[in-house]
Amino acid sequence: MTSDTPGTSGLRHKLGRLFGSTARAVRVPNVDDDDLHVIVRSDDDATASSTVLEAAGFDSDRKVVLRHLLELPESALDDAAASAALEGYCEGEVLPDDPAPSDGGLLLALVRVQSVDARTVSQERSRIASLASRSGGRGLGWALLDVPVASSTDTRR
């Protein structure tokens, strides 16, 4: 069937509606977006990622910003950031509601864009906790950030 076959555009439209190709495009966030906001957060190491995600009602296959917060000695910040960069993380901003570091420690936020589920969040939490431990620090929590739904008209992919 060629594109000039009568009825082709109507069939494509019906198939598109059936399979969702006419659905509104969703904006993929960038770690530098000014309008990012926290949609899921956990500062409790003992709580399973699946429990946190379920309690927040997060069940999505679209990409979000995964953020980890670490407390490290000042002497370890650069090396930890460089090591995390090998895994695709970059330094993010410390947020106003982040916990304060204990005496002598400094905060390091690590962020990257990815699709997440309970398994991937757990894997990344483990990876970052190991990095923090090797650097003489500790992980303070994790969060998922996204752009507001009202901003979903931008179709960057």
Side-chain angles (χ1 to χ4, degrees):
M1 192 181 270
T2 64
S3 60
D4 14 321
T5 304
T8 302
S9 63
L11 178 61
R12 282 193 193 123
H13 178 72
K14 287 178 184 175
L15 288 174
R17 288 181 60 208
L18 179 65
F19 294 106
S21 66
T22 60
R24 184 171 47 125
V26 176
R27 176 177 163 189
V28 175
N30 185 302
V31 296
D32 296 326
D33 285 338
D34 290 332
D35 55 350
L36 285 174
H37 68 280
V38 175
I39 57 171
V40 178
R41 181 180 188 130
S42 177
D43 299 324
D44 183 0
D45 259 354
T47 305
S49 302
S50 58
T51 302
V52 175
L53 293 173
E54 185 177 322
F58 183 83
D59 182 23
S60 176
D61 60 350
R62 58 191 176 82
K63 293 185 177 188
V64 295
V65 175
L66 176 59
R67 178 181 185 269
H68 301 277
L69 186 64
L70 292 78
E71 178 182 18
L72 301 170
E74 183 177 4
S75 61
L77 287 177
D78 291 338
D79 287 342
S83 181
L86 297 173
E87 298 296 332
Y89 284 96
C90 59
E91 290 185 57
E93 293 185 25
V94 174
L95 302 176
D97 58 346
D98 283 337
S102 60
D103 292 334
L106 296 176
L107 297 180
L108 174 64
L110 297 172
V111 294
R112 77 175 182 188
V113 175
Q114 72 176 74
S115 297
V116 297
D117 58 21
R119 181 183 57 80
T120 57
V121 171
S122 294
Q123 287 173 332
E124 292 306 309
R125 286 175 64 189
S126 178
R127 181 188 317 250
I128 297 300
S130 177
L131 170 66
S133 178
R134 289 190 315 270
S135 301
R138 64 189 180 107
L140 297 179
W142 61 275
L144 301 182
L145 293 83
D146 201 359
V147 292
V149 175
S151 297
S152 295
T153 56
D154 184 352
T155 58
R156 287 182 288 165
R157 293 191 185 252

